Amino acid sequence: MSLITINENGFLDEIKGKKGLFSCVISSIETTKYVPISGVHRDVIAYTPAADMELVVLGKSICLPTPPIDATGCPSPATITRACVDLKNIPALTIDAGCFVKPNVPYIKVNENPTGDIRKGKAMKNSKELFEKGYTLGKNLIYDCLIVGESVPGGTTTALGVLIGLGYDAEGKVSSGSVNNPHELKMEVVRSGLKSAKIEIGKSSVFDVLNAVGDTMMPTVAGMAIAAVENKKPVILAGGTQMAAVLAVIKEINKDAIKSGLISIGTTEFVLNDKNADLKGIVEQIGDVPILASKFYYEKAKIDGLRAYCRGSVKEGVGAGGIAAYAYINGLKPDDVRRYVENNYYRWYKNIINMEINKE
Amino acid sequence: MSLITINENGFLDEIKGKKGLFSCVISSIETTKYVPISGVHRDVIAYTPAADMELVVLGKSICLPTPPIDATGCPSPATITRACVDLKNIPALTIDAGCFVKPNVPYIKVNENPTGDIRKGKAMKNSKELFEKGYTLGKNLIYDCLIVGESVPGGTTTALGVLIGLGYDAEGKVSSGSVNNPHELKMEVVRSGLKSAKIEIGKSSVFDVLNAVGDTMMPTVAGMAIAAVENKKPVILAGGTQMAAVLAVIKEINKDAIKSGLISIGTTEFVLNDKNADLKGIVEQIGDVPILASKFYYEKAKIDGLRAYCRGSVKEGVGAGGIAAYAYINGLKPDDVRRYVENNYYRWYKNIINMEINKE
């Protein structure tokens, strides 16, 4: 078995044999400079989205000596995304919604500034314009299936903020890239941001909520997804609880899109089975939307950093779960992904491995 | 008759019924600030590429009060491109290879700086990197036919420079957006640039020639085209003598691409029939490449600014001739384009028309 599905409702037939385009919307959040809401190390957090997409598109990171890797030695989920892109020859586009560091690959620019400080309720000023840019983009790309991922360090806190702001029961339910999910810290940031921006829970408009405590990835992806549905093409929102927040944003803007049967959430087993979060519980509040969760059998991995996924490290990101779901439906096997990552691991991380050896 | 073809060799069959993606690479050239090598007015030249692509993608220019229009009242060729995009529902992407002013649409960024001063032989430093970025991009977009245009004010002079630098007989042969083509001025700029950069005519490498007197659009488009040919997809280099220079660049990098039968030049009748230039004479020196020239029957136009095309104004740009060729092969008629532009002209240019009325 390569996929766990919930509410599948024929979605897999929609993506089988279809030419898929992978795109990944990247953004930085200013708050991550001051508050440890992300599991990514503060020294590299500004570089992470760029390094992720360099790996996916080029097969190596350029702006960092190695692809991102966390404190537990767990490699970036971009390694999974790269495996799918390379093995299934899937075109991959980077969309910059505002990153501190820009990737050394061609990228589509939709926004100048990174997401601001959500503690102050000042995430952005232009969420409506970003929605429109995402929509324009979704209308001007060719695909038969659109897979949209994200790389936004700190993005589960903005997900929490937007879900709470829109009136969902999300406290304690968003996931984390860390083994230990700092729920209370995230809630503190969100409460502060919602209060500062005078958001009325469940009453303020979606764009006001996004401007206060969202991130710039969210309206961009929402626009792309709604354009795809209008084009009658299936969309995989490739991510965990961050994409559940995008789903909630889409519902506010276009209820019919949610009911179209063309939008799914594609994530990893690590998010779906996360005991410190509740993706399913969030999505159920939004609608009958298919959830696809990719399995990886990383417990069989030879490299400890990969087995760390099974112990709760990293879990998801850079569209890993969603693109794997698309790739599995189109012939790839979880073992292919694992072997690809194992085979490339020492090449990708040789600079760190060399550093470790020199330290000894 | 909607098309004039030279060396067609079955190319039209390659693009018929194929899903086409239009992309337009935009760049500014520093030299245009100091030397009147472009027909575009100095006050708006920095805004022209951005305003062109806003019109194509959104149906209106945002960064200028109207779409670009020349001193003879002749509207930007982007009006033709917009007609094709809208009437045939063709996706359109903007690729920024370095513009003074950025468009208010999502755009793919491949380069930071505009083209430098070609008089000094300092067009750019990174033509090889731009070629690689274009190649990566061409590999990561989905299309069954790639149409690549340009909006580069001053770009016929860089075309001349690159053709001469590579050893072609191009003097007096490049076209112009003006009725009067300042051949001698262009040659003076090119001679100065080639000398300053110590280019050996016909001997220096293509990337050295580009770095000296090219523009940043050229290596980007060359990379995209070679990627498309590797993907076995037909490419229309949508432009006049500027695209002939790109063709020469492609030949230096990959001779087989030129011989593949998958690359054509698509332009307008106004360029092909330009008595002050010789597109055919340049292309013949490069190879047996199909030339498609779109007809517009603008002599029938109700608006004088459109009839100005027949008197030698503007002639081509923003991929107008190439996208029209693709659209004609796929069912559009020249009269459809003319009527669309006529019907939208007063809406697009109402701000100028109002200004004229207020002056009276």
Side-chain angles (χ1 to χ4, degrees), chain A residues 147-170:
Chain A
I147 308 146
V148 203
E150 57 69 38
S151 178
V152 185
T156 55
T157 303
T158 44
L160 177 67
V162 167
L163 288 164
I164 299 250
L166 293 176
Y168 292 95
D169 168 20

Side-chain angles (χ1 to χ4, degrees), chain A residues 7 62 65 109 112 118 123 141 144 156 162-163 187 226 231 242 253 278 288 292 299 303-304 312 324 335 343:
Chain A
N7 269 329
I62 295 179
K109 186 169 170 177
E112 189 64 44
I118 50 174
L141 291 168
D144 287 320
T156 55
V162 167
L163 288 164
M187 268 309 288
I226 288 174
N231 290 344
Q242 292 178 248
I253 298 170
D278 187 6
D288 276 346
L292 322 172
E299 59 277 10
I303 294 160
D304 187 60
D335 280 354
N343 290 342

Side-chain angles (χ1 to χ4, degrees), chain A residues 61-79:
Chain A
S61 292
I62 295 179
C63 68
L64 284 178
T66 75
I69 188 163
D70 86 346
T72 69
C74 184
S76 169
T79 55

Side-chain angles (χ1 to χ4, degrees), chain A residues 53-100:
Chain A
M53 285 312 296
E54 288 167 353
L55 180 68
V56 170
V57 175
L58 303 175
K60 62 184 172 187
S61 292
I62 295 179
C63 68
L64 284 178
T66 75
I69 188 163
D70 86 346
T72 69
C74 184
S76 169
T79 55
I80 293 171
T81 311
R82 172 64 189 171
C84 297
V85 159
D86 201 18
L87 293 170
K88 293 298 292 179
N89 200 18
I90 302 168
L93 291 178
T94 308
I95 298 163
D96 177 26
C99 271
F100 290 134

Side-chain angles (χ1 to χ4, degrees), chain A residues 106-314:
Chain A
Y107 61 87
I108 298 171
K109 186 169 170 177
V110 293
N111 196 37
E112 189 64 44
N113 298 316
T115 304
D117 193 349
I118 50 174
R119 288 179 307 177
K120 298 179 183 161
K122 292 186 172 177
M124 70 200 90
K125 289 179 178 167
N126 59 343
S127 60
K128 184 146 197 273
E129 186 201 310
L130 283 174
F131 169 76
E132 284 159 7
K133 287 241 179 112
Y135 179 85
T136 298
L137 186 58
K139 285 277 177 180
N140 284 283
L141 291 168
I142 298 175
Y143 46 83
D144 287 320
C145 167
L146 182 65
I147 308 146
V148 203
E150 57 69 38
S151 178
V152 185
T156 55
T157 303
T158 44
L160 177 67
V162 167
L163 288 164
I164 299 250
L166 293 176
Y168 292 95
D169 168 20
E171 196 172 340
K173 293 189 195 305
V174 297
S175 197
S176 168
S178 307
V179 179
N180 297 311
N181 191 338
H183 283 303
E184 197 35 56
L185 180 64
K186 290 177 184 178
M187 268 309 288
E188 209 174 286
V189 168
V190 163
R191 271 189 217 109
S192 162
L194 290 168
K195 193 177 164 191
S196 301
K198 302 198 171 87
I199 294 298
E200 294 183 77
I201 307 289
K203 287 182 187 166
S204 291
S205 85
V206 64
F207 294 113
D208 286 342
V209 171
L210 285 164
N211 284 346
V213 295
D215 62 57
T216 56
M217 174 277 289
M218 295 172 172
T220 309
V221 175
M224 292 173 71
I226 288 174
V229 169
E230 284 188 15
N231 290 344
K232 303 204 188 319
K233 306 291 184 189
V235 183
I236 300 174
L237 299 174
T241 48
Q242 292 178 248
M243 286 301 174
V246 172
L247 195 66
V249 168
I250 292 170
K251 187 178 178 183
E252 293 296 314
I253 298 170
N254 187 330
K255 273 200 176 57
D256 293 340
I258 296 289
K259 293 178 189 162
S260 67
L262 289 170
I263 299 184
S264 73
I265 288 196
T267 189
T268 64
E269 57 177 328
F270 311 115
V271 167
L272 189 69
N273 299 330
D274 184 359
K275 291 197 173 65
N276 292 317
D278 187 6
L279 173 65
K280 187 164 164 282
I282 299 171
V283 174
E284 278 173 352
Q285 297 174 55
I286 302 168
D288 276 346
V289 170
I291 301 176
L292 322 172
S294 299
K295 290 182 66 69
F296 296 96
Y297 299 97
Y298 270 7
E299 59 277 10
K300 294 197 286 181
K302 288 176 224 156
I303 294 160
D304 187 60
L306 299 189
R307 292 196 302 272
Y309 274 90
C310 309
R311 299 190 294 268
S313 291
V314 179

Side-chain angles (χ1 to χ4, degrees), chain A residues 19-21 57-58 90-93 103-110 133-134 136-137 139-144, chain B residues 19-21 57-58 90-93 103-110 112 133-134 136-137 139-144:
Chain A
K19 184 74 185 161
L21 174 68
V57 175
L58 303 175
I90 302 168
L93 291 178
N104 292 289
V105 290
Y107 61 87
I108 298 171
K109 186 169 170 177
V110 293
K133 287 241 179 112
T136 298
L137 186 58
K139 285 277 177 180
N140 284 283
L141 291 168
I142 298 175
Y143 46 83
D144 287 320
Chain B
K19 184 74 185 160
L21 174 68
V57 175
L58 302 175
I90 302 167
L93 291 177
N104 292 289
V105 291
Y107 61 86
I108 298 171
K109 186 169 169 176
V110 293
E112 189 65 44
K133 288 244 179 110
T136 299
L137 186 58
K139 284 277 176 180
N140 283 283
L141 291 168
I142 299 175
Y143 46 82
D144 287 319

Side-chain angles (χ1 to χ4, degrees), chain B residues 69-102:
Chain B
I69 187 163
D70 86 346
T72 68
C74 185
S76 169
T79 55
I80 293 172
T81 311
R82 172 64 189 172
C84 297
V85 158
D86 201 18
L87 292 170
K88 293 298 291 179
N89 201 18
I90 302 167
L93 291 177
T94 308
I95 299 162
D96 177 27
C99 271
F100 290 134
V101 174
K102 305 304 181 189

